């Protein structure tokens, strides 16, 4: 009789634990371990690796793609995909850039970010309202936004030097840290708050994990979808601006193929394209992993093509064990 | 029978998951031409044992012998090669494929040039469906089948590889009474052919009708193996729960007040159903009886805004109400507990606690932030009320046993509250000990003045708990019974009208 009582212990002990699945923690830890291992290796191979100057280089290189990947992670958790980020980034920067002659930083920066939000809203309406699969809707948006950016700029690059605060976003420092890095950090914290500590986060994971059950539970899945596309559009525009500011140069045909790198980071970070899975921390760590590998190979003078092979290998090495575990577990 | 060597034997099996030991030192065997039933409470380890016998999971330790030879069932295709097949507890069909394609998935007959021979495929599917006397068109898309029909397709799928050992995990959980009889006959035929059959079910009547031996699992241990003829339901239940079982009957505390909670008038939706009218008073349970295809499920979905309505009117508390989405329906006080817990009830990758909170996120909001403590407190309360077996609140819903997932669906709606509850098969896959708990929880709702519209697959259950029953047949209401008039014959007559 008492044997029955024993197993009831789990039920009656109201231990309040953080609702993170056990495996997700392990997965996150293994990524951090890989990152530390890489850093250690890099330090052994090139002794100047951990020098503050080099760390700054790495972080700067990661900032824009990290910002984009945070937006993409939200979309992927919701079970969707956004292939339009390059187009959104460019069109937003060009529309903002057209206003450079006004000399108003508020206008230039505001229009850039607003354009990102609006294009994201359009993506969201296409997907959630008109039920167009996000792959198709955002692919269409990519093409259209790129074309519009070229039309609007006449194919000419734009130069934001005259707008001080704009340039500061890409090149300035605050508290001894580069502004883009600080922006990435701030965004990470906001996104973690959103996914882990807000009720929106619950709705987000539910929508991605099982749309039907989420809808039948009364969750406004259309609103969730529209919101993630808007946030992703915003992140794309912001990242575009950080890069343009850093280069002092808005390139109407830039960011070619960036969506694939961003998706790679997102998946490397543990998000599943099937939805309902993924963490902001995972994505950030993944972006750092890529940054460290790239930096190391650069220092070693490895050709860009071999670097791409190396990155692909790292992604496979991290993602494969997860995939295999899932395969054998189910 | 006993002179035969076992077809399949497992010895001293142990299997642990993070936080739970699912099986400890379990031994079990199946003789040719016998039905060996496996029973136990929710989470006792039945499905885990079956998936080990079918190669879906590897045991931590222990031995598996097939015809006396030790084997390692690394994956289901190895098991299939050893002619062991499993009928899943949960439906794992591809909704976008046809019935024939699903039945023969991965084992399609090949025509010339290795192409799938569609004609042969349909013939083969037809043959298997005929063998168990089921009339489903192999060319139909699986997505449009009812849950019941899908279950049948699932069974056909296991029969394709011509197994010697056939394992059933709650095959009748979603079947109507007449279909259960059908299935039991099929199983008896298979048994007569000398197959060894492992049968898991929470319906003990069925177990006793079918089984030669019954093994009881409790908390991951095999506590007894009994010849069916020498034992009784009471003994089996005592072994299952480890004490004397709680009384099974639920005393209805109320049979409704005079006030009408929900009035449905001449409701119709496309070709699905037409002219459906009924009323439910506050505190009343109205059951809908009917056979497969009577569209009672569609009526529920329509009321919940999950299916468009084009005729008729719905009044909640006297006010007209035409919800066009589940969100709107919930705002008007509806709650919907779907039977398909995996597909519609739960978000499987999310944690137990998060699933419970899903229906009422706003309640845990402080300026949009999640009040985790409050949420977890409520989740624990619900879990305890329904004695759900979970390792922790952060355990993924996917990892719960079938019956415990069912309890979770109920928990999340009871916690949410509402005025009218639309409840589909709430005890599907729930063990005998826990069923009264669920009925009591539903009874408690009515004591608080809520109205309940109920569908069950077992007519007897519906008659036990409902205050009134309406009968549907082919999308129309064909009968109406007050509690004193309840009779299986009367209801069955209306159901075929
Ligand atoms: N993949 C898993 N990860 C963690 N725990 C699991 C997993 N699968 C099963 N369990 C746990 O193992 C125990 C036994 O589960 P099992 O599914 O075998 O129960 P069952 O007897 O089939 O119950 P039911 O009658 O409800 O279907 C449960 O406590 C369950 O939560
Ligand atoms: Mg089970």
């Amino acid at each position: 009789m008492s044997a029955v009582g024993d197993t009831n212990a789990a039920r009656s002990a109201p231990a309040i634990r953080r609702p993170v699945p056990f495996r997700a923690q392990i997965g996150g830890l293994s990524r951090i371990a890989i990152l530390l291992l890489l850093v250690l290796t890099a330090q052994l191979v090139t002794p100047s690796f951990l020098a503050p100057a080099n760390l700054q280089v790495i972080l700067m290189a990661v900032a824009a793609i990290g910002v984009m990947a945070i937006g993409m992670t939200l979309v992927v958790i919701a079970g969707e995909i956004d292939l339009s980020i390059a187009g959104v980034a460019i069109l937003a920067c060009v529309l903002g850039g057209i206003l450079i002659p006004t000399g108003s930083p508020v206008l230039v920066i505001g229009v850039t970010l607003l354009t990102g939000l609006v294009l994201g809203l359009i993506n969201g309406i296409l997907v959630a309202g008109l039920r167009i699969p996000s792959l198709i809707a955002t692919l269409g948006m990519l093409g259209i936004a790129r074309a519009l950016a070229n039309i609007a700029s006449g194919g000419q690059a734009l130069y934001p030097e005259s707008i001080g605060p704009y340039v500061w976003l890409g090149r300035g420092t605050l508290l001894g840290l580069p502004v883009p890095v600080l922006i990435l950090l701030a965004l990470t914290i906001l996104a973690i708050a959103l996914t882990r500590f807000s009720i929106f986060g619950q709705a987000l994971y539910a929508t991605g994990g099982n749309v039907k059950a989420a809808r039948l539970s009364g969750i406004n899945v259309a609103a969730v979808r529209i919101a993630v596309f808007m946030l992703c559009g915003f992140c794309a525009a912001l990242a575009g601006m950080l890069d343009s500011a850093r280069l002092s140069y808005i390139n109407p045909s830039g960011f070619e193929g960036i969506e694939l790198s961003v998706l790679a980071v997102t998946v490397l970070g543990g998000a599943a394209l099937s939805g309902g899975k993924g963490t902001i921390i995972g994505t950030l760590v993944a972006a750092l992993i890529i940054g460290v590998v790239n930096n190391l190979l650069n220092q070693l003078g490895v050709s860009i093509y071999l670097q791409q092979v190396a990155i692909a290998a790292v992604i496979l090495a991290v993602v494969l064990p997860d995939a295999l575990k899932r395969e054998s577990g189910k | 029978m006993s002179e035969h060597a076992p077809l399949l034997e497992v010895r001293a099996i142990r299997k642990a998951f993070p936080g739970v030991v699912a099986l400890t030192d379990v031994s079990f065997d199946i003789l040719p031409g016998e039905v060996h039933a496996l029973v136990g409470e929710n989470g006792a380890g039945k499905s885990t044992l079956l998936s080990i016998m079918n190669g879906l999971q590897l045991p931590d330790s222990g031995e598996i012998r097939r015809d006396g030879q030790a084997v390692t069932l690394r994956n289901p295709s190895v098991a299939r090669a050893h002619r062991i097949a499993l009928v899943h507890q949960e439906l794992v069909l591809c909704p976008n494929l046809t019935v024939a394609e699903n039945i023969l998935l991965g084992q399609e007959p090949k025509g010339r040039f290795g192409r799938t021979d569609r004609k042969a495929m349909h013939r083969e599917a037809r043959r298997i469906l005929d063998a168990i006397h089921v009339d489903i068109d192999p060319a139909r898309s699986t997505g449009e089948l009812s849950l019941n029909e899908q279950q049948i397709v699932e069974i056909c799928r296991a029969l394709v590889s011509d197994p010697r050992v056939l394992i059933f995990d709650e095959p009748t959980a979603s079947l109507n009474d007449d279909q259960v009889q059908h299935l039991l006959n099929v199983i008896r035929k298979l048994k007569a052919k000398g197959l060894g059959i492992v049968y898991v079910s929470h319906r003990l009547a069925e177990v006793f009708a079918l089984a030669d031996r019954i093994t009881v699992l409790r908390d991951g241990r095999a506590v007894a193996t009994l010849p069916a003829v020498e034992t009784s339901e009471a003994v089996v239940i005592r072994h299952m729960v480890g004490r004397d079982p709680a009384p099974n009957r639920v005393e209805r505390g109320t049979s409704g007040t005079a006030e009408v909670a929900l009035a449905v008038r001449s409701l119709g939706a496309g070709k699905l159903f037409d002219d459906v009218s009924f009323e439910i008073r506050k505190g009343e349970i109205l059951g809908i009886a009917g056979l497969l295809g009577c569209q009672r499920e569609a009526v529920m979905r329509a009321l919940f805004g999950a299916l468009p309505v084009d005729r008729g009117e719905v009044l909640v508390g006297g006010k007209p109400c035409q919800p066009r989405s589940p969100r709107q329906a919930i705002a008007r006080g509806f709650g919907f507990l779907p039977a398909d817990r995996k597909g519609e009830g739960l978000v499987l990758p999310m944690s137990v606690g998060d699933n419970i909170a899903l229906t009422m996120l706003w309640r845990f909001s402080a300026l949009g932030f999640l009040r985790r403590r409050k949420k977890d407190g409520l989740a624990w309360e619900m879990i305890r009320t329904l004695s759900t077996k979970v390792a922790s609140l952060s355990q993924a819903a996917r990892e719960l046993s079938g019956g415990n997932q069912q309890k979770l669906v109920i928990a999340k709606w009871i916690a949410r509250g509402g005025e009218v509850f639309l409840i589909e098969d709430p005890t599907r896959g729930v063990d005998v000990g826990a069923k009264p708990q669920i009925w009591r929880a539903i009874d408690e709702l009515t004591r608080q003045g809520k109205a309940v519209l109920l569908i069950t697959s077992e007519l007897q259950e519906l008659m036990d708990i409902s205050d009134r029953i309406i009968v549907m047949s082919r999308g129309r209401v064909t009968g109406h019974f007050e509690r004193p008039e309840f009779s299986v014959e009367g209801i069955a007559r209306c159901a075929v009208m």
Side-chain angles (χ1 to χ4, degrees), chain A residues 10-43:
Chain A
R11 302 174 194 168
S12 46
I16 309 233
R17 283 178 233 172
R18 305 168 99 194
V20 181
F22 183 68
R23 295 227 189 72
Q25 287 175 350
I26 294 290
L29 279 182
S30 74
R31 279 183 180 79
I32 291 176
I34 287 172
L35 177 60
L36 291 179
L37 209 71
L38 278 172
V39 170
L40 207 69
T41 321
Q43 174 65 14

Side-chain angles (χ1 to χ4, degrees), chain A residues 194-205:
Chain A
L194 193 66
T195 51
R196 289 280 316 275
F197 300 107
S198 81
I199 57 170
F200 175 81
Q202 301 284 304
L204 172 64
Y205 281 97

Side-chain angles (χ1 to χ4, degrees), chain A residues 1 196-197 199 210 217-218, chain B residues 242 327 343 346 368 370 372 412:
Chain A
M1 310 294 115
R196 289 280 316 275
F197 300 107
I199 57 170
N210 184 347
S217 299
Chain B
R327 262 170 67 72
L346 299 174
L370 185 63
R372 194 150 279 170
K412 76 181 220 189

Side-chain angles (χ1 to χ4, degrees), chain B residues 181-241:
Chain B
Q181 289 315 317
H182 218 112
L183 179 78
L184 295 192
N185 284 331
V186 173
I187 294 178
R188 287 195 191 98
K189 271 188 210 129
L190 295 169
K191 166 183 152 171
K193 285 189 201 161
L195 268 72
I197 288 160
V198 185
Y199 191 86
V200 170
S201 176
H202 287 295
R203 300 183 178 182
L204 288 184
E206 201 174 285
V207 166
F208 275 90
L210 198 61
D212 299 299
R213 282 189 298 161
I214 300 172
T215 289
V216 183
L217 280 186
R218 182 171 79 226
D219 295 328
R221 293 173 188 278
V223 290
T225 297
L226 312 157
V229 288
E230 291 169 22
T231 183
S232 68
E233 280 197 27
V235 172
V236 168
I237 292 175
R238 202 148 45 235
H239 278 296
M240 277 170 62
V241 300

Side-chain angles (χ1 to χ4, degrees), chain B residues 380-416:
Chain B
W380 272 120
E381 194 186 312
M382 291 319 300
I383 280 171
R384 246 171 296 148
T385 314
L386 295 172
S387 331
T388 314
K389 194 175 167 193
V390 301
S392 76
L393 277 190
S394 56
Q395 186 175 24
R398 163 177 292 130
E399 294 173 356
L400 295 193
S401 76
N404 286 308
Q405 287 180 348
Q406 185 67 40
K407 290 184 190 174
L408 211 54
V409 175
I410 292 166
K412 76 181 220 189
W413 280 106
I414 289 188
R416 168 66 173 74

Side-chain angles (χ1 to χ4, degrees), chain A residues 196-246:
Chain A
R196 289 280 316 275
F197 300 107
S198 81
I199 57 170
F200 175 81
Q202 301 284 304
L204 172 64
Y205 281 97
T207 302
N210 184 347
V211 188
K212 247 190 196 169
R215 190 179 288 127
L216 288 175
S217 299
I219 284 172
N220 193 341
V221 296
V224 169
R225 285 176 172 156
I226 289 175
V228 291
F229 277 109
M230 287 180 74
L231 290 170
C232 189
F234 177 85
C235 288
L238 179 60
M241 194 161 62
L242 296 183
D243 250 23
S244 303
R246 186 170 54 89

Side-chain angles (χ1 to χ4, degrees), chain B residues 53 118 140 213 311 397 428 430 457-458 482:
Chain B
M53 293 197 281
R118 304 194 70 85
R140 272 174 76 187
R213 282 189 298 161
R311 308 179 282 280
R428 180 141 78 93
V430 170
S457 51
E458 271 178 284
E482 297 289 335

